[in-house]
């Protein structure tokens, strides 16, 4: 992911974060939104940075400060002998604001969406008939700029692609909230038949 230095500096100044605080929160954010092998890699990066640069005791103090300022919740047991950096839960104050300034969520979905849909009849049709620029406001409105919803969208899209259940174009898929069909255990084919 590309970072615009000006955006990061503005974000840190607005929220009174040091670069180290921002970076720890960012690594925690990346670990929290990832799944499978990617989550394991992100967690390893978080631990590597904290143990080799910050030190666990320094990080614990920093997390307590961030928690007091409303950026996260430390789920570590105070009396525990060990401290686990991945037991920190971010609060919307950080991840919603980060998500908005970084942008690019609609681009991720646009890129992940199949360019062509193949029907059982053998016919094909283009699935991305909207430009990324036109798609961005539609997508951001549909997910209400929420990073957790964005993750659900990406997960549902990947599952539907694997199962061959992407049956409409990108714009309709988002506007009709087809990603929700995965979370409610409905079959897309049965939903399409009723429309």
């Amino acid at each position: 992911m590309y970072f615009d230095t000006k955006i990061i500096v503005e974000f840190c100044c607005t929220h009174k974060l040091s670069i180290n605080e921002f970076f720890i929160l960012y690594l925690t954010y990346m670990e929290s939104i990832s799944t499978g092998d990617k989550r394991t890699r992100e967690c390893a990066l978080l631990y590597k940075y904290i143990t080799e640069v910050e030190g666990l005791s320094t990080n614990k103090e920093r997390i307590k400060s961030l928690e007091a300022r409303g950026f996260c919740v430390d789920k570590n047991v105070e009396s525990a002998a060990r401290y686990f950096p991945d037991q920190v839960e971010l609060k919307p104050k950080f991840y919603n604001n980060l998500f908005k300034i970084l942008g690019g969520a609609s681009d991720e979905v646009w890129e992940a969406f199949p360019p062509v849909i193949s029907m059982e009849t053998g016919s094909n049709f283009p699935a991305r008939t909207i430009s990324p620029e036109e798609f961005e406001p539609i997508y951001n409105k549909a997910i209400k700029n929420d990073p957790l919803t964005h993750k659900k969208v990406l997960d549902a899209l990947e599952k539907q692609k694997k199962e061959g259940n992407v049956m409409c174009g990108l714009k309709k898929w988002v506007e009709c909230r087809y990603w929700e069909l995965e979370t409610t255990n409905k079959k897309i084919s049965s939903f399409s038949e009723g429309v």
Side-chain angles (χ1 to χ4, degrees):
M1 178 178 286
Y2 169 75
F3 280 118
D4 182 326
T5 308
K6 182 179 183 222
I7 290 173
I8 300 305
V9 169
E10 289 295 328
F11 184 88
C12 288
C13 289
T14 299
H15 298 286
K16 307 293 187 238
L17 292 169
S18 72
I19 290 298
N20 280 353
E21 289 171 331
F22 171 82
F23 196 59
I24 288 169
L25 290 171
Y26 177 76
L27 288 172
T28 303
Y29 169 74
M30 291 306 295
E31 186 265 339
S32 70
I33 65 167
S34 301
T35 57
D37 290 342
K38 187 169 194 258
R39 185 175 188 130
T40 303
R41 288 190 304 272
E42 295 294 345
C43 190
L45 285 175
L46 175 65
Y47 271 83
K48 180 178 176 62
Y49 177 76
I50 288 171
T51 56
E52 293 181 19
V53 177
E54 283 279 303
L56 288 174
S57 61
T58 302
N59 184 66
K60 187 174 182 178
E61 292 168 19
R62 193 181 305 279
I63 291 299
K64 288 296 177 195
S65 169
L66 290 167
E67 183 177 34
R69 291 162 34 211
F71 288 103
C72 61
V73 176
D74 188 356
K75 301 271 185 161
N76 281 286
V77 177
E78 191 66 39
S79 61
R82 294 198 55 196
Y83 181 75
F84 300 97
D86 61 326
Q87 294 301 307
V88 173
E89 183 180 295
L90 295 177
K91 293 180 92 175
K93 181 177 181 177
F94 180 75
Y95 65 74
N96 282 346
N97 287 309
L98 177 69
F99 189 75
K100 287 175 190 170
I101 65 156
L102 292 180
S106 63
D107 291 338
E108 279 187 275
V109 174
W110 197 90
E111 286 294 325
F113 207 84
V116 175
I117 303 288
S118 299
M119 302 304 290
E120 290 177 5
T121 60
S123 60
N124 296 326
F125 67 91
R128 290 189 251 164
T129 57
I130 187 170
S131 73
E133 296 77 21
E134 293 170 311
F135 179 62
E136 183 177 21
I138 293 168
Y139 182 69
N140 289 339
K141 180 180 178 187
I143 67 164
K144 298 179 180 156
N145 272 321
D146 179 50
L148 300 177
T149 303
H150 174 63
K151 182 180 179 336
K152 288 177 187 174
V153 169
L154 290 174
D155 291 346
L157 178 57
E158 284 308 308
K159 185 175 181 186
Q160 289 177 18
K161 283 175 18 182
K162 284 179 187 171
E163 295 171 349
N165 275 338
V166 179
M167 303 297 202
C168 63
L170 174 61
K171 184 179 177 192
K172 181 177 180 182
W173 192 85
V174 168
E175 288 178 334
C176 293
R177 304 175 71 85
Y178 275 82
W179 74 83
E180 291 180 342
L181 297 176
E182 290 302 313
T183 59
T184 57
N185 295 323
K186 294 180 184 175
K187 292 276 187 201
I188 290 178
S189 56
S190 63
F191 180 78
S192 299
E193 290 166 8
V195 173

